[in-house]
Amino acid sequence: MKTVILDSRNQNSLNQAAELLLAGKLVAVPTETVYGLAADATNPIAVDSIFRAKGRPANHPLIVHITGVDQLDKWAIHIPNNARKLAETFWPGPLTLLLKKSPKAISAVTGNQDTIAIRAPANPSMQELLKLCGLGLAAPSANPYKSLSPTKVSHVYKALAGKIDAILDGGECVLGIESTILDLTNIIPRILRPGPISVNQIEEILKIEISCPKAHSIRISGNLASHYMPKTPIFLYSTDILIHRLKELPKDVACLVYDEQLTLQNCNQIIHISSIKSEYSRLLYQKLHEIDAQNFREIWVEKPPQCSEWFDVNDRLKRAAQFDD
Ligand code: TXA
Ligand code: MG
């Protein structure tokens, strides 16, 4: 299969992407978080082809992407007020809500569970595409199972060319890290995956404390210990330990650092990333993709600050790492 790249700034290309989706084809789409691999959420054959392209086990459920709050009742039932409040505040944006599914939600999308994960993405071309095709789009991140999420078209193309029909090019993802997933099927809302919408932001709107379990048994592939992995093994080191280790940095090890003292060192094994949280998240997967494309034996990552602001980044790094000091 030939994978075509469609420019989202061009109306004909957007129309073509919409037609492909209506015909049950697979199109990788830009969102503000990471690129998604989209198909018509009501078409079981199209949804099945997402799993085949990704190599993902069929019982791992998918997020359904919609234009906004007005579509919520099509996909979910028994929607609590808290869910509506959050959707009205943060949509379109990087917050996925887990709710009780409506009959419209097919079992291939929900992994045979009675819940559905829904979000309205903020990327303008994705919004335009959703309006053009009039569908709910089931879309996991557009990467092979258990590997790094894509934040640029080149990442998607390298991993999935030949396996999908098209990629809608919407430029680089502005947030660079997957959405926050919040379970609203119980009285106390709980975070299933930390992301760009923080616990504090949610608590401020709901005026209650939400639950933020270290581990949970809900079936969510992003919850597997070893997920979000580059091919090169990651080792996490705190700044002071890394300063010592850098004195004898093996030639085949790459280092990802944000600290000013460390960024002063200039050699092509030391890859700099921002110390500003939003910039760090935007660039993290991009830097890991770049390092992965070279032949390093290991990646040593300087451990970011262990505070709530960095919760989502630390979550992803912990899952990706082989070792954490
Ligand atoms: O930012 C994002 O959320 C991106 C963009 C493309 O929207 N999507 C994304 O999808 O990260 P994915 O499939 O890579 O991760 C979504 C997670 C999966 O771990 C999946 O298991 C979980 O959401 N999930 C989806 N539906 C669920 C359900 N009904 N119950 C529990 N977990 C669910
Ligand atoms: Mg994923």
Side-chain angles (χ1 to χ4, degrees), residues 34 54 56 140-143 147 149 178 193 221-222 227-228:
V34 300
K54 270 183 76 91
R56 175 163 165 162
S141 50
N143 53 279
S147 59
S149 290
E178 302 85 353
R193 179 175 72 185
S221 49
H227 207 74
Y228 308 106

mmCIF file of all heavy atoms in Angstrom, residues 34 54 56 140-143 147 149 178 193 221-222 227-228, ligand 2:
data_model
loop_
_atom_site.group_PDB
_atom_site.id
_atom_site.type_symbol
_atom_site.label_atom_id
_atom_site.label_comp_id
_atom_site.label_asym_id
_atom_site.label_seq_id
_atom_site.Cartn_x
_atom_site.Cartn_y
_atom_site.Cartn_z
ATOM 1 N N VAL A 34 -0.043 14.281 20.304
ATOM 2 C CA VAL A 34 0.821 13.467 19.431
ATOM 3 C C VAL A 34 -0.009 13.121 18.194
ATOM 4 O O VAL A 34 -1.229 13.330 18.189
ATOM 5 C CB VAL A 34 1.293 12.169 20.143
ATOM 6 C CG1 VAL A 34 2.083 12.488 21.407
ATOM 7 C CG2 VAL A 34 0.122 11.237 20.488
ATOM 8 N N LYS A 54 -0.781 -1.227 13.831
ATOM 9 C CA LYS A 54 0.045 -0.951 15.018
ATOM 10 C C LYS A 54 0.673 -2.191 15.623
ATOM 11 O O LYS A 54 1.613 -2.102 16.406
ATOM 12 C CB LYS A 54 -0.825 -0.300 16.119
ATOM 13 C CG LYS A 54 -0.890 1.197 16.078
ATOM 14 C CD LYS A 54 -1.710 1.733 17.242
ATOM 15 C CE LYS A 54 -1.008 1.724 18.578
ATOM 16 N NZ LYS A 54 -0.275 2.938 18.913
ATOM 17 N N ARG A 56 -1.039 -3.914 17.702
ATOM 18 C CA ARG A 56 -1.518 -3.786 19.090
ATOM 19 C C ARG A 56 -2.528 -4.877 19.401
ATOM 20 O O ARG A 56 -3.372 -5.189 18.559
ATOM 21 C CB ARG A 56 -2.168 -2.404 19.217
ATOM 22 C CG ARG A 56 -2.857 -2.082 20.534
ATOM 23 C CD ARG A 56 -3.032 -0.572 20.597
ATOM 24 N NE ARG A 56 -3.954 -0.116 21.587
ATOM 25 C CZ ARG A 56 -3.976 1.150 22.021
ATOM 26 N NH1 ARG A 56 -3.139 2.028 21.528
ATOM 27 N NH2 ARG A 56 -4.843 1.528 22.921
ATOM 28 N N PRO A 140 -5.600 5.715 18.267
ATOM 29 C CA PRO A 140 -4.507 5.616 19.239
ATOM 30 C C PRO A 140 -3.346 6.445 18.702
ATOM 31 O O PRO A 140 -3.437 6.963 17.582
ATOM 32 C CB PRO A 140 -4.143 4.130 19.185
ATOM 33 C CG PRO A 140 -4.439 3.731 17.772
ATOM 34 C CD PRO A 140 -5.581 4.614 17.300
ATOM 35 N N SER A 141 -2.270 6.580 19.469
ATOM 36 C CA SER A 141 -1.095 7.269 18.944
ATOM 37 C C SER A 141 -0.582 6.483 17.719
ATOM 38 O O SER A 141 -0.672 5.250 17.687
ATOM 39 C CB SER A 141 -0.023 7.364 20.032
ATOM 40 O OG SER A 141 0.189 6.108 20.624
ATOM 41 N N ALA A 142 -0.051 7.226 16.724
ATOM 42 C CA ALA A 142 0.293 6.603 15.436
ATOM 43 C C ALA A 142 1.701 6.002 15.448
ATOM 44 O O ALA A 142 2.578 6.419 14.685
ATOM 45 C CB ALA A 142 0.151 7.637 14.328
ATOM 46 N N ASN A 143 1.900 5.034 16.339
ATOM 47 C CA ASN A 143 3.197 4.361 16.435
ATOM 48 C C ASN A 143 2.969 2.870 16.587
ATOM 49 O O ASN A 143 1.902 2.462 17.064
ATOM 50 C CB ASN A 143 3.965 4.877 17.669
ATOM 51 C CG ASN A 143 3.125 4.782 18.933
ATOM 52 O OD1 ASN A 143 2.284 5.634 19.196
ATOM 53 N ND2 ASN A 143 3.328 3.723 19.703
ATOM 54 N N SER A 147 6.039 1.385 21.155
ATOM 55 C CA SER A 147 7.170 2.261 20.845
ATOM 56 C C SER A 147 6.773 3.725 21.023
ATOM 57 O O SER A 147 5.660 4.031 21.439
ATOM 58 C CB SER A 147 7.736 1.943 19.465
ATOM 59 O OG SER A 147 6.764 2.108 18.493
ATOM 60 N N SER A 149 5.670 7.543 20.857
ATOM 61 C CA SER A 149 4.626 8.272 20.138
ATOM 62 C C SER A 149 5.264 9.259 19.166
ATOM 63 O O SER A 149 6.332 9.801 19.428
ATOM 64 C CB SER A 149 3.764 9.048 21.133
ATOM 65 O OG SER A 149 2.992 8.182 21.904
ATOM 66 N N GLU A 178 1.072 12.759 25.445
ATOM 67 C CA GLU A 178 -0.308 12.297 25.310
ATOM 68 C C GLU A 178 -1.238 12.939 26.351
ATOM 69 O O GLU A 178 -0.801 13.302 27.446
ATOM 70 C CB GLU A 178 -0.378 10.773 25.461
ATOM 71 C CG GLU A 178 0.466 9.991 24.473
ATOM 72 C CD GLU A 178 1.915 9.828 24.923
ATOM 73 O OE1 GLU A 178 2.304 10.434 25.950
ATOM 74 O OE2 GLU A 178 2.658 9.103 24.256
ATOM 75 N N ARG A 193 -3.989 8.319 33.415
ATOM 76 C CA ARG A 193 -2.695 8.662 32.795
ATOM 77 C C ARG A 193 -2.494 10.160 32.967
ATOM 78 O O ARG A 193 -3.323 10.938 32.527
ATOM 79 C CB ARG A 193 -2.723 8.315 31.294
ATOM 80 C CG ARG A 193 -1.433 8.673 30.573
ATOM 81 C CD ARG A 193 -1.430 8.220 29.111
ATOM 82 N NE ARG A 193 -2.314 9.014 28.285
ATOM 83 C CZ ARG A 193 -2.569 8.769 26.995
ATOM 84 N NH1 ARG A 193 -2.001 7.729 26.404
ATOM 85 N NH2 ARG A 193 -3.378 9.554 26.313
ATOM 86 N N SER A 221 -3.196 0.339 27.827
ATOM 87 C CA SER A 221 -1.861 -0.082 27.399
ATOM 88 C C SER A 221 -0.794 0.905 27.846
ATOM 89 O O SER A 221 0.320 0.537 28.164
ATOM 90 C CB SER A 221 -1.815 -0.288 25.892
ATOM 91 O OG SER A 221 -2.361 0.818 25.230
ATOM 92 N N GLY A 222 -1.162 2.208 27.899
ATOM 93 C CA GLY A 222 -0.194 3.202 28.354
ATOM 94 C C GLY A 222 0.144 3.041 29.821
ATOM 95 O O GLY A 222 0.997 3.730 30.359
ATOM 96 N N HIS A 227 6.361 0.954 28.548
ATOM 97 C CA HIS A 227 5.638 1.556 27.433
ATOM 98 C C HIS A 227 6.388 2.810 27.052
ATOM 99 O O HIS A 227 7.331 3.203 27.715
ATOM 100 C CB HIS A 227 4.212 1.871 27.877
ATOM 101 C CG HIS A 227 3.250 1.872 26.733
ATOM 102 N ND1 HIS A 227 2.823 0.723 26.128
ATOM 103 C CD2 HIS A 227 2.656 2.891 26.054
ATOM 104 C CE1 HIS A 227 1.988 1.050 25.150
ATOM 105 N NE2 HIS A 227 1.881 2.357 25.086
ATOM 106 N N TYR A 228 5.990 3.446 25.966
ATOM 107 C CA TYR A 228 6.598 4.698 25.538
ATOM 108 C C TYR A 228 8.110 4.545 25.381
ATOM 109 O O TYR A 228 8.890 5.367 25.835
ATOM 110 C CB TYR A 228 6.299 5.822 26.547
ATOM 111 C CG TYR A 228 4.830 5.955 26.856
ATOM 112 C CD1 TYR A 228 4.312 5.529 28.066
ATOM 113 C CD2 TYR A 228 3.972 6.492 25.905
ATOM 114 C CE1 TYR A 228 2.946 5.636 28.333
ATOM 115 C CE2 TYR A 228 2.613 6.603 26.165
ATOM 116 C CZ TYR A 228 2.114 6.172 27.374
ATOM 117 O OH TYR A 228 0.783 6.277 27.638
HETATM 118 MG MG MG B 2 0.005 5.179 22.547
#
